[in-house]
Amino acid sequence: MSDEHGGVSDANEKAAVRTWRAWRTVHEMVQDRGYELAESEVKISLETFKQTYCNIDGSVLRAKLKFSARPTQAMIKKFTPPATAANPDPKADIGTIWVEFLDDDSLGAEQMRKFGKFCAQANHATGILVSHVPVSASAKKEIAKFAQWTSIEWFLEEDLLINITHHELVPRHVVLSREEKAALLKRYRLKETQLPRILQKDPVAKYFGMKRGQVVKIIRTSETAGRYASYRLCV
């Protein structure tokens, strides 16, 4: 009996550590996109995570794993289009973000529809759903149905166990605003279709929540050239 309990305890411990790592990565991701989060939330320790989000037996209370964040003033300024005669008081292209870890053992159309409706009704500009199980094809189709109200993103928990942007081989990525993109194209006399491309499903593009048509600045370091930048168009 003790061996059985020990096995359950070990399994719960491993699951808690994995979920904690994903929880931290998604907080880092939200912060890196420009949203307001306290450092204590981003750098939560394993012990604090267990005390807050685990049962007495060590199993994770996934239903409690949810949070929202507001964009910083810098983010609002960056993603607010310039005023024009036709639109003298433009609104920012971004808003609050909602993150939730799925508690169910499957992710189908019903769960995705429920999540999308919640984000739309709560006026969240972006919703991130993290699951420990793969998403079904029917659930993916539901995402597009909410595009006019909210931007829904899905991540597999396993893919968040490490922060890909912290890897030494991944250069720094900076998503450009509309104005910065326009200035870049004007400076080099380019059409956006002439820029190299980055797929929207690229892990780093997903990390920053890039949308089609956005441009990312990639900053690399070279022993001979020092720091240099390249640009890619999200498609």
Side-chain angles (χ1 to χ4, degrees), residues 42-87:
V42 180
K43 304 299 183 185
I44 185 172
S45 68
L46 177 58
E47 286 308 309
T48 301
F49 178 84
K50 288 179 179 178
Q51 293 169 8
T52 310
Y53 301 109
C54 290
N55 287 303
I56 296 176
D57 64 358
S59 59
V60 179
L61 285 163
R62 301 183 68 85
K64 291 183 66 176
L65 298 177
K66 55 187 70 173
F67 69 94
S68 64
R70 298 178 302 177
T72 60
Q73 286 302 312
M75 186 183 187
I76 292 173
K77 181 179 179 181
K78 181 174 183 177
F79 292 104
T80 299
T84 63
N87 185 15

Side-chain angles (χ1 to χ4, degrees), residues 193-205:
T193 52
Q194 293 176 288
L195 290 172
R197 300 178 179 184
I198 184 171
L199 297 178
Q200 193 177 28
K201 63 182 180 181
D202 178 274
V204 178

Side-chain angles (χ1 to χ4, degrees), residues 2-205:
S2 59
D3 289 343
E4 183 179 335
H5 282 299
V8 171
S9 178
D10 289 344
N12 286 344
E13 172 69 17
K14 289 179 180 179
V17 171
R18 286 171 61 87
T19 309
W20 164 69
R21 289 171 62 184
W23 183 248
R24 281 190 46 145
T25 297
V26 81
H27 276 76
E28 291 168 350
M29 179 171 70
V30 168
Q31 186 180 60
D32 287 345
R33 291 188 186 188
Y35 293 91
E36 292 181 353
L37 284 176
E39 279 301 304
S40 58
E41 297 176 273
V42 180
K43 304 299 183 185
I44 185 172
S45 68
L46 177 58
E47 286 308 309
T48 301
F49 178 84
K50 288 179 179 178
Q51 293 169 8
T52 310
Y53 301 109
C54 290
N55 287 303
I56 296 176
D57 64 358
S59 59
V60 179
L61 285 163
R62 301 183 68 85
K64 291 183 66 176
L65 298 177
K66 55 187 70 173
F67 69 94
S68 64
R70 298 178 302 177
T72 60
Q73 286 302 312
M75 186 183 187
I76 292 173
K77 181 179 179 181
K78 181 174 183 177
F79 292 104
T80 299
T84 63
N87 185 15
D89 187 25
K91 303 299 181 184
D93 294 333
I94 42 86
T96 58
I97 189 170
W98 175 260
V99 179
E100 184 174 322
F101 278 54
L102 183 72
D103 191 33
D104 298 350
D105 291 326
S106 64
L107 177 50
E110 182 181 348
Q111 290 96 331
M112 190 65 78
R113 194 180 304 119
K114 179 181 177 182
F115 181 73
K117 284 182 178 179
F118 170 80
C119 291
Q121 291 172 357
N123 293 318
H124 293 301
T126 303
I128 294 178
L129 184 60
V130 181
S131 70
H132 59 291
V133 290
V135 64
S136 70
S138 59
K140 285 184 178 180
K141 292 179 181 178
E142 290 295 321
I143 293 176
K145 296 179 181 179
F146 292 93
Q148 61 179 309
W149 300 290
T150 182
S151 176
I152 301 298
E153 303 173 32
W154 166 77
F155 286 85
L156 187 62
E157 189 175 301
E158 185 177 340
D159 294 336
L160 296 172
L161 296 182
I162 61 169
N163 187 328
I164 189 173
T165 65
H166 291 177
H167 195 285
E168 61 180 6
L169 297 180
V170 177
R172 185 183 174 209
H173 288 61
V174 180
V175 180
L176 302 188
S177 66
R178 288 187 187 182
E179 288 181 285
E180 290 168 334
K181 174 186 173 181
L184 171 73
L185 297 178
K186 182 178 180 180
R187 178 182 178 186
Y188 293 105
R189 298 180 180 178
L190 294 171
K191 295 180 180 179
E192 67 173 39
T193 52
Q194 293 176 288
L195 290 172
R197 300 178 179 184
I198 184 171
L199 297 178
Q200 193 177 28
K201 63 182 180 181
D202 178 274
V204 178

